[in-house]
Amino acid sequence: MGDDATTTPELVGRVRDFVREVVIPIEEAHLGVLHRPDLAAHDLAGGRVDDGERALRLALQDAARDAGLLAPHLPIAWGGHGLTHLGRASVFEAAGYSLFGAVALNIAAPDEGNMHLLLEAASAEQRERWLRPLATGDIHSAFAMTEPPPGAGSDPRALTTRAERVDGGWRITGDKWFITGAREAGLVIVLARTSGEPGDAGGATMFLVDGASPGIEIVRDVHTLDAGLYAGHSLVRFDGCLVPDDAVLGEVDHGFEAAQVRLAPARLTHCMRWLGLAGRAHDLALAHVAERRAFGSAIGDLGLAQQHLADNEIDLAASRALIRETARVLDAAEAGTPTGIDAGAPDPGSASSVAKTFVAEAVGRIVDRSVQLSGGQGVSDELLLSRYWREVRPFRIYDGSSETHRWSIAKRAVRQHRKGLRHDLAQ
Ligand SMILES: Cc1cc2nc3c(=O)[nH]c(=O)nc-3n(C[C@H](O)[C@H](O)[C@H](O)COP(=O)(O)OP(=O)(O)OC[C@H]3O[C@@H](n4cnc5c(N)ncnc54)[C@H](O)[C@@H]3O)c2cc1C
């Protein structure tokens, strides 16, 4: 593939070597566990992560910095390699080959998506204040949209967190939960309602909030299946948190539009990283079945096992192709090529919905088959597969559940049919 002909293939090779030589031994020593919910549970009042977790992130990022691989996606002016979306596809997949690879390279969620949002939507001053330390790994960030029922979830319009106008700024009040990395976040990007009522399609504003601001409380951890995302996921309370006027990201009342800037690319980079991990799961299964014998032959030579292996290969190849095709759509949109229903071309939102739905389910299938092929070891701590199985399951829910995406994919298809545009998309 001709992605980013200038630097990407060489960069992918360096990332691959770095992950195999430096990151995987650390991942194996920690059994793939970055966030220790059991430790955080003892520390609810303090609202901080365990020191070991922080030290681990810093050590991984120091190693990546020394190797010249920190935040490779960013423009050269921000210390990166200026990767296109297509260039990111192979670099992020190589990093995702270890559960700790993305954290090491500073391309993990939510930081990577937040950096993208700041690049696209922030003012020069806001970028200097927040993107600079994020790019170097000096701070870590969170993105706070989801709320406990009846607030924003699959339907962001249900947004209940409010930001009221006060002298010189805004006062934010409301609860957010499942907020990844909030315990350690120097920057929290918050979506709050500045006008209208829950259920309205507009009236949201995005705020850049200093994580140390008075009025932000980490109420508790929300324990989930995964343990590979830094600082876990928290229930965060904004209790009259005051922010200045220059904390507004983009325009007041246009926060849903600003969120769209982040969502499509962030979904796709999640696909890239999880594809890397699915590839690793498949390799672990191959290592087992190529040697392990049963009924007079290697398990990998038995028909039903071969079917699992072949289906893994097919899911890996199809996911990779779909991710790259979607990356090309995102690159074209950024280059100003007309996209969308009226242009008769896929738009980034619908293309990334299709990719996200397929890849989230494909990586789940790949990891699950790999567990099955590995027998008892697959569900034990002897291999990292049981950890991977837990890590990939939530991906069918966050960044839009499979059902939400299918719903919007189908709605678009019907609209395109009604406009007589379906044939144009097959070019
Ligand atoms: C590990 C993890 C990390 C997360 N990190 C963050 C974060 O950092 N920041 C943040 O803001 N949020 C985060 N989230 C929250 C995530 O975005 C939400 O869980 C997701 O948007 C779904 O919202 P909900 O949980 O409220 O589910 P609900 O809105 O209650 O939906 C429940 C289910 O309803 C079904 N459903 C929804 N829409 C439709 C439809 N149109 N048709 C048919 N069925 C449908 C789906 O199966 C869905 O899973 C995270 C979640 C997890 C699990």
Side-chain angles (χ1 to χ4, degrees):
M1 301 294 257
D3 49 309
D4 253 24
T6 46
T7 60
T8 305
E10 189 249 332
L11 187 60
V12 171
R14 282 171 55 203
V15 171
R16 209 171 270 149
D17 291 347
F18 174 74
V19 166
R20 283 173 202 268
E21 288 161 21
V22 179
V23 181
I24 286 179
I26 299 175
E27 179 198 24
E28 288 176 343
H30 287 81
L31 296 176
V33 175
L34 183 61
H35 180 63
R36 297 274 309 272
D38 51 332
L39 291 181
H42 292 301
D43 192 28
L44 290 179
R48 61 180 184 81
V49 300
D50 137 59
D51 286 342
E53 181 176 352
R54 186 180 306 117
L56 182 53
R57 178 174 78 93
L58 294 176
L60 287 163
Q61 294 194 342
D62 282 349
R65 191 178 293 107
D66 290 348
L69 295 175
L70 201 69
H73 58 300
L74 286 176
I76 291 164
W78 291 92
H81 292 260
L83 297 177
T84 59
H85 292 285
L86 187 54
R88 275 168 233 186
S90 35
V91 171
F92 283 31
E93 184 184 340
Y97 195 73
S98 162
L99 198 46
F100 290 0
V103 172
L105 267 64
N106 199 13
I107 55 167
D111 288 319
E112 179 269 330
N114 290 343
M115 288 187 234
H116 179 80
L117 177 61
L118 290 168
L119 270 173
E120 296 295 319
S123 67
E125 293 76 25
Q126 288 172 331
R127 283 204 292 264
E128 203 50 50
R129 171 151 187 216
W130 296 117
L131 182 56
R132 186 72 62 195
L134 268 177
T136 53
D138 287 327
I139 66 164
H140 167 77
S141 63
F143 184 77
M145 186 160 82
T146 307
E147 301 168 339
S154 301
D155 183 359
R157 295 172 306 181
L159 186 70
T160 56
T161 296
R162 293 252 171 213
E164 298 165 73
R165 201 89 190 75
V166 293
D167 220 13
W170 300 84
R171 187 200 306 276
I172 304 174
T173 304
D175 285 355
K176 300 282 184 182
W177 74 344
F178 288 94
I179 308 308
T180 306
R183 280 191 176 275
E184 280 284 283
L187 165 67
V188 185
I189 304 182
V190 186
L191 195 68
R193 186 167 283 291
T194 37
S195 70
E197 295 302 321
D200 288 352
T205 301
M206 195 91 82
F207 293 93
L208 302 173
V209 183
D210 188 326
S213 305
I216 302 184
E217 182 195 352
I218 303 292
V219 178
R220 62 177 172 86
D221 261 22
V222 179
H223 294 165
T224 52
L225 283 173
D226 58 295
L229 287 170
Y230 183 60
H233 318 286
S234 301
L235 169 54
V236 186
R237 178 156 299 150
F238 294 86
D239 189 6
C241 175
L242 287 171
V243 296
D245 273 326
D246 63 8
V248 172
L249 178 65
E251 285 179 60
V252 171
D253 282 348
H254 288 272
F256 288 132
E257 292 89 323
Q260 289 309 317
V261 170
R262 183 185 189 281
L263 290 182
R267 262 182 218 143
L268 195 64
T269 51
H270 256 313
C271 292
M272 297 168 186
R273 292 181 292 255
W274 288 134
L275 177 63
L277 202 74
R280 173 90 173 285
H282 181 51
D283 285 351
L284 288 170
L286 279 170
H288 182 76
V289 298
E291 301 301 327
R292 176 77 167 145
R293 297 184 68 80
F295 309 107
S297 72
I299 290 174
D301 293 329
L302 297 172
L304 289 177
Q306 286 174 324
Q307 174 149 10
H308 288 319
L309 295 170
D311 286 346
N312 275 0
E313 292 276 338
I314 292 165
D315 271 338
L316 286 166
S319 297
R320 190 171 293 119
L322 198 47
I323 288 171
R324 289 179 182 202
E325 188 50 36
T326 307
R328 286 190 186 93
V329 172
L330 265 60
D331 284 330
E334 278 182 18
T337 309
T339 60
I341 183 167
D342 293 320
D347 66 88
S350 54
S352 70
S353 270
V354 170
K356 197 276 173 180
T357 308
F358 183 84
V359 175
E361 294 176 3
V363 299
R365 291 192 295 267
I366 295 164
V367 176
D368 191 69
R369 287 186 203 112
S370 302
V371 165
Q372 190 70 16
L373 285 162
S374 303
Q377 290 182 66
V379 291
S380 72
D381 282 349
E382 300 298 312
L383 294 173
L384 284 167
L385 282 167
S386 61
R387 168 55 40 216
Y388 295 173
W389 190 82
R390 294 164 66 96
E391 298 298 321
V392 298
R393 180 61 182 88
F395 188 35
R396 280 163 52 196
I397 292 172
Y398 59 68
D399 280 357
S401 65
S402 291
E403 291 77 13
T404 316
H405 284 300
R406 282 198 168 84
W407 181 60
S408 75
I409 291 163
K411 279 196 303 181
R412 279 193 185 101
V414 171
R415 270 206 314 272
Q416 284 162 352
H417 174 80
R418 288 185 180 137
K419 287 195 163 198
L421 288 167
R422 295 295 297 165
H423 57 285
D424 295 334
L425 296 175
Q427 286 167 3

